[in-house]
Amino acid sequence: MAASEEDTMATATATAAEEIEIHGQDRPKIIEWEELQQELARLCSLSSALQKARERKEYLAQKLQPAIQVREEPLHRSNQLEEICLNLDDKKLALENLVMHSKVMVEATKTEREQLSVAIRPFLAAGKTLSTACKRLQESHRLLAGDRGYVHLKNVQKMLKMRQQYMITQISALYPVKAMAGPAPCKVVSQSKVNRAGVDDSEPSISPKVSNSGMLSLTISGLHLLVPPFKKISFFSDKKEVQMSASALGYVAHAVTLIASYLDVPLRYPLRLGGSRSYISDPTPSFESTLSELVGNSAAAINVKTVEFPLFLEGQDTTRAAYAIFLLNKDLEQLLNYIGVESLGPRQVLSNLEELYRTIQSQGFIEK
């Protein structure tokens, strides 16, 4: 205890001396000559005490430095612990926020999962349907690749076309279309363009084949499809030509009917065969029915009767017979288009029939 008190007093003395020195600088003390020796002695004593106090201070500082260091380390650790606690509190808060967010996300995920489970049901059904369709497709491919598959189908189709070609060759032999020399041809009623109202739109004419030996015209089974121009049947001087033309039209109608049946083509204008007294039907409504009747009675418009036109001239209206020949040529054009050939024109009945024979009897018909 005594040493401690001495150290304290020395420290206080040194501090006081420093303060005296500091204050003395501002207000210097005037010392009398008689008191100089005492003051010098006192200053020497104070200087010695100050030096001892400084030495003591350094000694105490060296002694206290380990203790200070020992106390600084717990303080530093305490500060670090406080920082760690603060960081831990922040992380706890962030963790709580994450937990709340995860709960919200879990609820949203459950809701979306339920929605997806509802939305995926059609896809599952479609997948099953697709799987079934794939199995059927594989089975179809297997069947096509088999002995009775696509190759067999092509062979059957080729055989069918060969059979069709053979049957139509028989028709061409039964009703041959040939070019025969004859007198200068008259105007042809079958070449006239007649509208649905039964009015002749243009002057009839033919385009006969010409050779060096003279004028040639097409015939069917040796009969010409030629009639001189007239307005009424009473103007004919020779009715044999009219009967021959009617027979030729009957031959053409029969040939067209047979070819259509062999090719399995439903004719747009059906034929009612009767030899030289054949008829052709127009299923479209006739202009003879007035517009008011069709508009006023829809059932009558739907169930309108087909109109038949004669393929002969004797005892018939000229325009109706010409329109019948026009419809017959339309059936020929339909058959030509079915086999991929363009019609030679609306005024070429026998020429179109000849082209139909020639195309079907060619090798290209089978290879299509």
Side-chain angles (χ1 to χ4, degrees), residues 197-271:
V199 179
D200 193 358
D201 292 335
S202 63
E203 286 296 326
S205 62
I206 75 165
S207 299
K209 295 182 179 180
V210 182
S211 66
N212 296 331
S213 59
M215 192 70 70
L216 297 177
S217 61
L218 291 177
T219 62
I220 179 168
S221 297
L223 298 179
H224 291 276
L225 193 60
L226 301 174
V227 178
F230 61 89
K231 292 297 181 182
K232 293 183 180 179
I233 195 65
S234 59
F235 288 163
F236 278 102
S237 58
D238 186 7
K239 294 185 179 181
K240 183 180 291 187
E241 193 176 37
V242 177
Q243 293 174 357
M244 292 174 61
S245 181
S247 298
L249 288 172
Y251 294 161
V252 175
H254 192 202
V256 168
T257 303
L258 291 175
I259 294 173
S261 65
Y262 295 155
L263 295 179
D264 196 20
V265 177
L267 291 175
R268 188 175 293 111
Y269 303 104
L271 289 158

Side-chain angles (χ1 to χ4, degrees), residues 242-243 246-247 250 272-279 311-314:
V242 177
Q243 293 174 357
S247 298
R272 183 163 66 87
L273 300 177
S276 61
R277 292 295 182 268
S278 300
Y279 290 84
L311 285 169
F312 56 92
L313 299 173
E314 189 175 358

